[in-house]
């Protein structure tokens, strides 16, 4: 499915705009703060129903306005499909509505209809440089996008941990505590088993598709297992800290390219590590959904040397790609049919 055009109404700095895209390569060019990233974010929002920056959804609505509307027209086999999101500010927060071909849809069903977009932006280096939580969130988002059961189990785990921690915080008598924990221990182990298995499945996929050009990558899934035996082992510590000490909420993922990229990678090595993750996100979506995703590249060319730029462009040439840049000259030598949006 290819993106043909989008219309935005009160999306971040855009009051009312229409943008059209090439089926191959579209460049969004403009000086700083013109709305290049916002435009990419709007595509991400239309396709995924959610933004990609770690912001509150109300920040997506133009300052001083109440309703945001964004609509995308996609084409596949001569047929047109329309996706629309409407976010409205209310006292209690944002109310979100999703429509596919004008029919209202729940978010998950909406997401099943749309084409996937894969975003690559400089901030994502924090998947490598940031906390384990960043990495868990990154993988959880991918797995949740095709596995509703996984999403449900993550939610179950989170609320079960909350309740288990409350019990640990408030207990007065050890025997009673043990009794109170029996149900939650079993329940959490059940959720964790599913989550761990799915995370392992995705990591195995990455480790099979481990090459970018001549470079080989690898990822280590560091599981924080939760079993009845380990819970007994950690019982004293749990009492001391009054908090659950083990489980997939503490898993981590370590990226290697010869060396540990988190500790020893240079900026460009780390960036290529992210690019490897992103390339596999693309391959994975194609495998699961049998559709080609759309690739969004935000401002990454200013940070790559000539060789890496060429490598990236070569690897994405068979996809519909939308790239932002401050200078048009960066793409003068790119010999693909391209459309330029000047902001
Ligand atoms: N909800 C909002 N309402 C109005 N304006 C907003 C909103 N959210 C962000 N903006 C503004 O939109 C402008 C464009 O932001 P954006 O991040 O898209 O710029 P950019 O073109 O990507 O810039 P850069 O080259 O620095 O990356 C900024 O001035 C930002 O403050
Ligand atoms: Mg930007």
């Amino acid at each position: 499915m290819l993106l043909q055009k989008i219309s935005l109404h009160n999306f971040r700095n855009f009051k009312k705009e229409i943008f059209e895209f090439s089926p191959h390569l579209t460049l969004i060019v403009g000086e700083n703060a013109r709305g290049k990233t916002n435009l990419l974010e709007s595509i991400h929002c239309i396709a995924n129903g959610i933004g990609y920056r770690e912001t509150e959804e109300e920040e997506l609505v133009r300052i001083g306005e109440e309703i945001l509307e964004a609509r995308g027209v996609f084409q596949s086999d001569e047929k047109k499909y329309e996706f629309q999101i409407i976010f409205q500010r209310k006292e209690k927060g944002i109310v979100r509505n999703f429509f596919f071909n004008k029919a209202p849809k729940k978010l998950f069903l909406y997401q099943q209809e749309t084409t996937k977009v894969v975003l690559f932006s400089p901030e994502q280096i924090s998947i490598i440089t940031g906390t384990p939580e960043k990495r868990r969130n990154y993988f959880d988002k991918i797995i949740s996008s095709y596995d509703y059961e996984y999403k449900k189990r993550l939610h179950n785990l989170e609320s079960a941990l909350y309740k288990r921690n409350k019990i640990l915080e408030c207990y007065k008598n050890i025997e009673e505590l043990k009794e109170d924990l029996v149900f939650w221990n079993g329940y959490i182990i059940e959720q964790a088993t599913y989550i761990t298995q799915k995370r392992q499945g995705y990591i195995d996929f990455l480790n099979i598709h481990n090459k970018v050009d001549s470079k080989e990558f690898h990822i280590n899934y560091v599981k924080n297992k939760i079993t009845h035996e380990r819970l007994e082992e950690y019982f004293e510590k749990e009492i001391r800290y009054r908090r659950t000490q083990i489980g997939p909420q503490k898993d981590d993922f370590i990226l290697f390219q010869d060396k540990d990229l988190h500790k020893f990678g240079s900026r460009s090595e780390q960036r290529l590590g992210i690019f490897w993750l992103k390339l596999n996100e693309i391959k994975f979506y194609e495998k699961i959904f049998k559709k080609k995703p759309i690739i969004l590249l935000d401002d990454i060319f200013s940070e790559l040397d000539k060789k890496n730029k060429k490598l990236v462009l070569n690897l994405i040439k068979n996809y519909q790609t939308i790239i932002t840049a401050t200078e048009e000259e960066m793409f003068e030598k790119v010999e693909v049919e391209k459309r330029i949006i000047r902001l």
Side-chain angles (χ1 to χ4, degrees), residues 139-174:
F139 292 116
D140 285 347
K141 234 187 209 167
I142 295 175
I143 304 169
S144 300
S145 72
Y146 68 92
D147 187 340
Y148 190 60
E149 183 64 25
Y150 184 83
K151 197 173 176 176
K152 213 173 80 191
R153 302 258 184 171
L154 276 180
H155 179 75
N156 293 349
L157 175 71
E158 196 185 334
S159 40
L161 282 170
Y162 177 79
K163 287 178 185 137
R164 192 175 185 277
N165 287 336
K166 273 269 166 271
I167 296 173
L168 279 164
E169 265 171 42
C170 307
Y171 86 93
K172 299 216 167 58
N173 169 304
I174 293 258

Side-chain angles (χ1 to χ4, degrees), residues 5 12 35 41 58 84 87 91 112 133 175 179 181 189 205 231 261 276 283 301 303 313 320 323 333 337:
K5 72 173 177 189
R12 289 207 184 261
E41 189 176 29
E58 41 178 297
Q84 185 188 11
F87 290 2
E91 246 171 56
Q112 298 309 301
E133 189 184 6
E175 286 316 307
E179 240 170 68
L181 290 182
I189 289 170
F205 177 86
L231 277 168
L261 281 179
W276 171 64
K283 283 187 196 145
F301 285 80
E303 297 200 338
L313 283 170
Q320 184 179 25
I323 305 181
K333 292 202 181 80
E337 184 205 320

